[in-house]
C-alpha cells in the first residue's frame, strides 16, 4: 500500500515481555506498510499504545497517556490513534465512549492482523477487533529492538483461572505454535547473528497440550521439554531462556533436560504468589508451599547454582498477618535472586475482586515494603556469591550512565557492568571477573 502523507509511527509499550514481543511484530507490519519509526511522539502520524491491565495502576497510566494525544487529534484529524493489548481487550467498545477519538481498538490475538485492520481505518472506519480468533503465524518480520537477544513466542494465552488474574480473559485460551514454526524462527535468528533467545508464554511449561498428536505411551509428543530438545537439535544459539513457568507443569523431566542441554541458561522464573496454603487455595494456584519447595529442591539438586526468581502478591483478600509471614518465610528459606512483588489489585471480572474481605491499602503497602526489604537482603546475599568468580557475559549495550562501560548479563541473568568499548564488544560472549556486587547488579573486569 502507498502511504503518501502518513509516514511516521510510534509505539508506546506497557506491561510484560509478551507485549514487548507483540509490539516488535506490529512495528514490523507497519514498516512493511511503509511507515517509519520516530522517537518523537508529536511527529508521529500514527501512535499505537500497547497496553497492560494487570493492576489498576497499569490501566490508569494508559488513560492518562491516551488523553494527551486524543486532544492533539482535535488539531490534527489525520493523526491515527490505536490502542492494542490487554486494556483494549478488556474494555472493547467501552473504551470508545471514554476516548471517542480512537481509530482502532484491537486485542492481543489480533496483533498479526494489524495490516488489515489499518487498511480499514485508512478507508475512514473506526474499528474494534476484540473477538477471540485463531492467532495466525506471523509472516512479516518483527522489528526487533535488539540485534543480540530476541523474544520468541511459543504459546499464547492462559488456561488457568487464578482468582485474582485478568490475563485469561484478555489473552484467551492457550494456543501453541508448532515446533516447526518455532524452530525455523530460531534458526533464522541464529543466521542473523542473534546470541540469545527468550521463549515466551504465560505458562510456558504447559506448551503443546493443545497440539494434536500423542505418543504410544499416551504422552503428548509436543511437550515443552521435547521442544527444548528439538531446538538444540536444529540450532546452536548460545543462550536459551524461557518465561514464565508455572510450578504445576515444571516436571523433573524438564529440570533434567535443562541440566543436560548446554545452551539452556540456569535461570528459572517460577512465580509462587504466596507462601501460605490457604491463600494459595483461594488463589486457585493448584499447589501447596511444600510442593513449591520440593520443586526448587529438585532444581537445585540438578543445578546447585541455578538462579531462581519469582512473582509474589501481598494483601490478597483475607490475607492475615500470619499468612503474610508465611510468604516472608518462603522467601527467607529459598532466598530468591530476584522477586517481582505486587500489592493485590482487584481486577474487573475476576472472582477475588468481589470478595468482601479486601485488605486495607495501608496494610498492603506495609507488607509490600517489608517483603521488598527482605528481597533486597536475599538478592544481596546471592550477589555476594559472585565476588571473585569468572562469569560469561553476553555484551548487549553501552552503560547509559557511563560511556566507557558496557553492560550485559551472566547466564544466570545478573546485570553486569565492566570497562570496555561497545563497538568492539557488542554481541560478544566474554569472560569477566566479578569485583563488585550490588543486590541486583555486578561490576567486573574483562579477562583478556
Ligand atoms: N503467568 C504467570 C504470571 C502472569 S501475570 C504466572 O502464573 O505466574 C504477572 C504477575 O502479575 C503475576 O505473577 C502476579 O504476581 C501479578 N499479578 C497478577 N494479577 C495481579 C493482581 N490482580 N494484583 C496484583 N498482582 C497481580
Ligand atoms: Fe494469571 Fe494464573 Fe494465568 Fe498466570 S497462570 S496468567 S497468574 S491466570
Ligand atoms: Fe499486562 Fe497483558 Fe502482560 S495484562 S502483564 S500486558 S499479559
Amino acid at each position: 500500500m502507498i502511504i503518501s502523507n502518513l509516514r511516521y509511527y510510534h509505539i508506546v509499550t506497557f506491561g510484560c515481555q509478551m507485549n514487548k514481543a507483540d509490539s516488535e511484530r506490529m512495528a514490523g507490519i507497519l514498516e512493511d506498510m511503509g511507515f517509519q519509526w520516530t522517537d518523537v511522539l508529536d511527529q508521529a502520524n500514527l501512535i499505537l499504545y500497547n497496553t497492560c491491565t494487570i493492576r489498576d495502576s497499569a490501566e490508569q497510566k494508559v488513560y492518562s497517556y491516551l488523553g494527551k494525544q486524543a486532544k492533539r487529534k482535535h488539531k490534527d484529524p489525520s493523526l491515527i490513534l490505536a490502542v492494542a493489548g490487554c486494556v483494549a481487550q478488556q474494555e472493547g467498545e467501552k473504551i470508545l465512549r471514554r476516548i471517542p477519538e480512537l481509530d482502532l481498538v484491537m486485542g492481543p490475538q489480533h496483533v498479526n492482523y494489524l495490516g488489515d485492520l489499518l487498511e480499514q481505518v485508512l478507508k475512514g472506519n473506526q474499528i474494534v477487533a476484540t473477538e477471540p480468533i485463531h492467532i495466525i503465524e506471523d509472516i512479516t518480520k518483527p522489528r526487533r529492538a535488539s540485534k543480540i537477544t530476541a523474544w520468541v513466542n511459543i504459546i499464547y494465552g492462559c488456561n488457568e483461572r487464578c482468582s485474582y488474574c485478568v490475563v485469561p480473559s484478555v489473552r484467551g485460551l492457550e494456543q501453541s505454535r508448532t515446533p516447526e514454526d518455532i524452530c525455523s524462527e530460531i534458526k533464522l535468528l541464529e543466521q542473523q547473528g542473534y546470541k540469545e533467545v527468550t521463549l515466551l508464554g504465560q505458562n510456558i511449561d504447559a506448551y503443546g497440550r493443545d497440539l494434536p498428536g500423542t505418543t504410544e505411551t499416551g504422552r503428548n509428543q509436543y511437550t515443552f521439554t521435547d521442544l527444548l530438545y528439538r531446538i538444540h537439535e536444529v540450532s546452536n544459539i548460545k543462550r536459551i531462556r524461557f518465561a514464565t513457568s508455572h510450578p504445576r507443569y515444571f516436571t523433573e523431566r524438564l529440570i533434567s533436560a535443562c541440566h543436560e542441554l548446554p545452551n539452556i541458561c540456569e535461570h528459572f522464573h517460577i512465580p509462587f504468589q504466596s507462601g501460605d496454603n490457604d491463600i494459595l487455595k483461594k488463589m486457585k494456584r493448584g499447589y501447596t508451599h511444600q510442593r513449591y519447595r520440593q520443586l526448587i529442591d529438585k532444581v537445585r539438586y540438578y543445578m546447585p547454582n541455578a538462579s531462581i526468581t519469582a512473582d509474589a502478591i501481598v494483601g490478597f483478600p483475607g490475607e492475615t498477618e500470619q499468612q503474610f509471614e508465611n510468604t516472608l518465610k518462603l522467601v527467607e528459606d529459598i532466598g530468591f535472586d530476584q522477586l517481582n512483588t505486587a500489592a493485590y489489585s482487584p481486577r474487573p471480572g475476576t472472582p477475588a475482586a468481589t470478595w468482601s474481605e479486601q485488605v486495607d491499602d495501608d496494610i498492603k503497602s506495609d507488607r509490600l515494603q517489608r517483603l521488598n526489604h527482605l528481597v533486597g537482603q536475599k538478592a544481596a546475599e546471592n550477589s555476594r556469591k559472585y565476588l571473585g568468580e569468572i562469569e560469561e557475559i553476553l555484551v548487549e549495550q553501552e552503560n547509559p550512565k557511563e560511556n566507557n562501560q558496557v553492560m550485559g548479563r551472566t547466564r544466570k541473568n545478573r546485570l553486569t557492568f565492566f570497562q570496555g568499548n561497545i563497538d568492539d564488544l557488542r554481541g560478544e560472549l566474554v569472560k569477566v571477573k566479578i569485583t563488585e556486587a550490588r543486590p541486583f547488579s555486578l561490576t567486573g573486569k574483562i579477562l583478556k
Side-chain angles (χ1 to χ4, degrees):
M1 192 201 333
I2 297 156
I3 298 159
S4 48
N5 52 348
L6 298 168
R7 288 214 304 136
Y8 292 106
Y9 77 97
H10 186 94
I11 301 181
V12 185
T13 306
F14 304 91
C16 65
Q17 295 161 330
M18 228 70 70
N19 263 15
K20 289 182 184 147
D22 287 349
S23 286
E24 291 186 350
R25 293 209 306 285
M26 291 193 284
I29 294 172
L30 291 174
E31 299 207 348
D32 264 9
M33 293 176 78
F35 282 94
Q36 282 173 39
W37 171 264
T38 174
D39 284 327
V40 188
L41 214 67
D42 286 340
Q43 191 189 41
N45 310 104
L46 184 159
I47 305 176
L48 192 153
Y49 292 88
N50 196 9
T51 61
C52 171
T53 183
I54 198 76
R55 288 180 280 277
D56 187 55
S57 53
E59 185 180 347
Q60 296 318 320
K61 200 151 83 182
V62 170
Y63 286 115
S64 87
Y65 274 64
L66 272 173
K68 282 183 211 139
Q69 292 304 327
K71 279 199 198 116
R72 194 182 128 203
K73 187 157 169 139
H74 292 273
K75 281 185 243 142
D76 176 9
S78 71
L79 172 67
I80 300 176
L81 283 180
V83 179
C86 296
V87 175
Q89 184 65 38
Q90 177 186 279
E91 297 299 306
E93 289 191 2
K94 274 191 281 174
I95 209 169
L96 294 179
R97 268 174 241 147
R98 203 158 159 179
I99 308 167
E101 291 86 352
L102 293 177
D103 298 288
L104 172 61
V105 177
M106 55 182 281
Q109 295 187 349
H110 293 258
V111 159
N112 297 352
Y113 296 95
L114 175 64
D116 297 341
L117 297 171
L118 268 182
E119 300 256 1
Q120 297 179 50
V121 167
L122 293 170
K123 286 183 194 146
N125 300 308
Q126 193 177 35
I127 304 291
V128 176
T130 50
E131 73 285 2
I133 47 167
H134 176 68
I135 298 172
I136 46 163
E137 259 308 308
D138 185 16
I139 41 149
T140 62
K141 289 186 279 344
R143 176 191 189 265
R144 299 190 192 264
S146 164
K147 299 265 174 286
I148 299 154
T149 65
W151 315 112
V152 174
N153 289 92
I154 68 160
I155 175 170
Y156 303 99
C158 174
N159 285 11
E160 301 295 305
R161 283 285 176 274
C162 301
S163 57
Y164 51 84
C165 184
V166 75
V167 170
S169 72
V170 292
R171 290 268 164 181
L173 289 175
E174 287 170 6
Q175 296 188 34
S176 299
R177 291 176 69 201
T178 66
E180 292 77 17
D181 287 333
I182 295 166
C183 288
S184 32
E185 185 171 352
I186 293 175
K187 272 195 284 193
L188 185 65
L189 287 166
E190 190 182 0
Q191 283 161 15
Q192 291 169 341
Y194 281 85
K195 300 285 168 53
E196 177 178 303
V197 298
T198 302
L199 310 175
L200 290 182
Q202 282 298 351
N203 295 308
I204 200 152
D205 38 357
Y207 171 81
R209 56 181 176 168
D210 57 315
L211 292 175
T214 42
T215 60
E216 282 160 18
T217 57
R219 190 167 58 76
N220 191 319
Q221 61 183 315
Y222 294 136
T223 65
F224 182 53
T225 310
D226 297 308
L227 179 70
L228 291 181
Y229 280 109
R230 184 119 170 217
I231 291 172
H232 269 74
E233 270 165 34
V234 299
S235 94
N236 188 27
I237 207 139
K238 286 289 173 250
R239 285 184 171 192
I240 297 167
R241 304 184 183 281
F242 54 87
T244 298
S245 305
H246 192 294
R248 249 194 17 253
Y249 305 107
F250 215 92
T251 58
E252 182 157 3
R253 187 166 166 260
L254 171 58
I255 299 172
S256 127
C258 292
H259 169 59
E260 185 188 323
L261 296 170
N263 297 343
I264 310 277
C265 294
E266 305 74 24
H267 166 223
F268 306 102
H269 185 71
I270 319 176
F272 62 89
Q273 312 301 0
S274 166
D276 182 85
N277 286 347
D278 290 334
I279 295 289
L280 284 169
K281 202 164 185 178
K282 285 193 187 165
M283 287 177 160
K284 294 221 166 5
R285 290 290 291 178
Y287 53 85
T288 59
H289 78 87
Q290 290 90 345
R291 280 291 292 269
Y292 185 83
R293 286 166 191 267
Q294 281 165 11
L295 170 63
I296 303 303
D297 285 347
K298 190 70 63 145
V299 173
R300 287 180 170 161
Y301 169 79
Y302 282 86
M303 292 161 279
N305 296 319
S307 148
I308 312 282
T309 61
D311 301 348
I313 298 176
V314 302
F316 185 75
E319 186 190 65
T320 62
E321 171 63 22
Q322 182 56 50
Q323 289 172 324
F324 166 66
E325 285 174 17
N326 287 337
T327 293
L328 289 179
K329 178 139 180 35
L330 186 74
V331 174
E332 177 68 50
D333 293 345
I334 292 187
F336 293 92
D337 288 82
Q338 162 91 281
L339 185 69
N340 303 324
T341 59
Y344 168 73
S345 167
R347 304 310 295 129
T350 59
T354 64
W355 298 344
S356 56
E357 37 177 13
Q358 300 291 325
V359 174
D360 286 348
D361 282 348
D362 47 348
I363 296 182
K364 282 190 214 169
S365 55
D366 173 67
R367 288 181 187 168
L368 191 59
Q369 231 180 350
R370 285 157 65 200
L371 179 58
N372 285 342
H373 182 72
L374 179 62
V375 170
Q377 279 179 346
K378 291 286 151 186
E381 278 172 29
N382 284 321
S383 271
R384 278 198 291 276
K385 292 186 199 146
Y386 286 93
L387 281 173
E389 295 292 315
I390 293 168
E391 290 287 325
E392 180 200 83
I393 307 294
L394 173 59
V395 181
E396 292 178 35
Q397 61 181 82
E398 199 171 59
N399 177 357
K401 291 185 190 146
E402 276 193 51
N403 293 350
N404 61 351
Q405 281 193 349
V406 297
M407 59 195 257
R409 288 175 185 273
T410 67
R411 273 175 70 98
K412 288 183 271 175
N413 213 30
R414 269 283 191 273
L415 193 61
T416 305
F417 303 95
F418 61 94
Q419 266 200 6
N421 182 338
I422 190 62
D423 296 328
D424 301 337
L425 292 169
R426 184 178 281 119
E428 296 292 315
L429 285 157
V430 293
K431 297 274 184 237
V432 170
K433 184 164 181 166
I434 304 304
T435 53
E436 274 176 59
R438 291 166 299 277
F440 302 105
S441 64
L442 308 167
T443 300
K445 208 167 176 289
I446 187 166
L447 299 183
K448 294 268 155 60

